[in-house]
Amino acid sequence: MGRVRVATWNVNSVKQRVPRFLPWLDQRQPDVVCLQETKLADEAFTALLGDELAGRGYEVAVHGEARWNGVAILSRVGLDDVVTGLADGPGFPEPEARAVAATCGGVRVHSVYVPNGRAPDSDHYHYKLAWLAALRDVVAAGPEGVVVCGDVNIAPADADVFDPAAYVGHTHVTGPERDALAALQATGLRDVVRDRWPTERVFTYWDYRAGMFHQDLGMRIDLVLASDPVAARVRAAWVDRHARKGTGPSDHAPVIVDLDEAPDGDIGPVVPPPSAPRTRKSVKLPQS
DNA sequence: ATGACTTGAGTTTCAAGA
């Protein structure tokens, strides 16, 4: 198989995002798309987009609910062995639609929407940690060629938030959350966007309020985590900021990763262009 | 400025997001 383009996008309601999502599909031509926060029951998803996606050659695996959450995988390189939900995962209190997996073009693909956590040490925070532990177990028990894509609701490092001081006391940056993410990665997953842009300021989410996107005050919480055999095939890994601009965007931007065909072809390390570190502004985080 | 915006349900204002 030739090049495969994998993308992940928290669309914040696929129904509201249709006018942005379909043109984006046609423009970027991803072969595998992981969606989060579809906010739509499965039957409604199919009624809304089934024909549009089939006409573009995509098979679809959806796992949604009526109001919140909801994940999906679209693929035009095969979609086999679909598993919805997270085996032995926790609920809040019931299981939520936050994970779906399928084998696409020989790679086990997981589309995940990790619980937000709400406030450190809250019930929801402990749910988030338990959910991440269950995800780690599923990935550890799965095949070697794997990619975990989605909104992990954790900034892996301080460099992944616009101002670490603004997040003190908040979720997404706490030690236990980062430890849980590290435990997931310890199954052998590489953060391919950070690998590609080791010193760049790269965000995937910007609050709708207060011109945060315009000022580039965001976080990097949408990740593509790839096992070594997949990571070795990465030829491009970037955040599609264009999709966050203009009218009616999601508050998250897509992450796009291109994989070369599996290979002997050693083209050497991908070296990012030199870049000067940008100064950080001290800005107060919008509060709810 | 304990604010700012956007969603879904469902009826009018709340819960949730991060």
Side-chain angles (χ1 to χ4, degrees), chain A residues 144 146 188-190 226-233:
Chain A
E144 188 183 5
V146 60
L189 302 179
R190 304 201 56 85
S227 62
D228 285 337
V230 180
R233 298 167 54 192

Side-chain angles (χ1 to χ4, degrees), chain A residues 30-105:
Chain A
D31 300 295
V32 178
V33 183
C34 295
L35 299 177
Q36 300 86 37
E37 285 208 85
T38 55
K39 297 186 175 177
L40 212 51
D42 294 349
E43 319 77 60
F45 187 108
T46 301
L48 180 72
L49 285 172
D51 291 347
E52 293 280 3
L53 295 175
R56 289 166 169 81
Y58 292 102
E59 297 176 86
V60 180
V62 289
H63 183 40
E65 48 192 79
R67 254 187 127 168
W68 307 117
N69 311 311
V71 288
I73 300 175
L74 325 178
S75 175
R76 54 185 192 189
V77 292
L79 186 78
D80 300 314
D81 300 323
V82 171
V83 174
T84 56
L86 204 53
D88 300 320
F92 193 76
E94 301 303 319
E96 299 179 304
R98 295 181 176 273
V100 61
T103 300
C104 307

Side-chain angles (χ1 to χ4, degrees), chain A residues 120-235:
Chain A
D121 213 34
S122 66
D123 288 349
H124 207 264
Y125 180 84
H126 292 289
Y127 167 52
K128 178 180 194 174
L129 297 179
W131 200 94
L132 285 159
L135 175 61
R136 191 216 72 92
D137 290 346
V138 167
V139 172
E144 188 183 5
V146 60
V147 60
V148 177
C149 302
D151 177 357
V152 302
N153 270 319
I154 298 167
D158 282 352
D160 296 311
V161 298
F162 73 87
D163 179 8
Y167 287 91
V168 171
H170 293 259
T171 57
H172 296 63
V173 299
T174 69
E177 292 168 277
R178 286 175 171 169
D179 290 347
L181 179 61
L184 170 62
Q185 287 196 241
T187 63
L189 302 179
R190 304 201 56 85
D191 176 350
V192 301
V193 168
R194 185 48 84 200
D195 283 355
R196 176 63 183 78
W197 306 101
T199 59
E200 266 288 337
R201 177 179 168 106
V202 179
F203 298 141
T204 65
Y205 162 86
W206 302 260
D207 197 293
Y208 282 124
R209 294 170 287 184
M212 298 287 275
F213 178 70
H214 181 70
Q215 301 169 77
D216 196 25
L217 303 178
M219 320 173 73
R220 192 175 70 94
I221 56 178
D222 301 272
L223 306 182
V224 173
L225 303 175
S227 62
D228 285 337
V230 180
R233 298 167 54 192
V234 172
R235 290 300 175 266

